[in-house]
Amino acid sequence: MKVAEELLNLSKQLRENGIDTTEIDQNIESSTRKISRKLDVLLSDQPTVYINDKKCSLVESMSQSLIEQSKVLSLEIID
């Protein structure tokens, strides 16, 4: 996230100096969308995720609990 902030600041500085940043801004936007999708997977109910090609898993007891919780179904009350 720090890199994204630095890129946004760089883009702003370039614009302030009259440099066209259209392509840079498009790349930043595309990268931000990709990061957002990856964060969604990382923070969702996944017992195992890969970060920088390294497998990170919950301990088995926590993983089983997470799986059981995700199976709980509920009905939404509609008025």
Side-chain angles (χ1 to χ4, degrees):
M1 296 309 284
K2 187 175 183 174
V3 171
E5 283 182 38
E6 290 175 10
L7 286 173
L8 288 170
N9 288 333
L10 175 62
S11 178
K12 180 181 174 185
Q13 289 175 350
L14 290 171
R15 263 193 316 277
E16 289 172 352
N17 288 312
I19 298 172
D20 180 22
T21 61
T22 303
E23 188 175 345
I24 292 171
D25 293 339
Q26 290 171 350
N27 290 337
I28 292 171
E29 183 179 339
S30 174
S31 296
T32 303
R33 274 194 299 261
K34 290 175 186 174
I35 290 169
S36 175
R37 281 193 293 270
K38 296 294 183 180
L39 279 174
D40 185 44
V41 171
L42 180 63
L43 299 176
S44 65
D45 59 355
Q46 302 284 327
T48 302
V49 295
Y50 288 87
I51 302 171
N52 295 332
D53 297 323
K54 181 180 177 186
K55 183 178 178 180
C56 299
S57 300
L58 293 174
V59 293
E60 184 60 35
S61 61
M62 291 181 74
S63 179
Q64 187 61 35
S65 174
L66 182 65
I67 291 168
E68 289 172 8
Q69 287 176 6
S70 69
K71 291 181 183 177
V72 175
L73 302 175
S74 61
L75 295 175
E76 183 179 329
I77 298 173
I78 302 175
D79 293 325

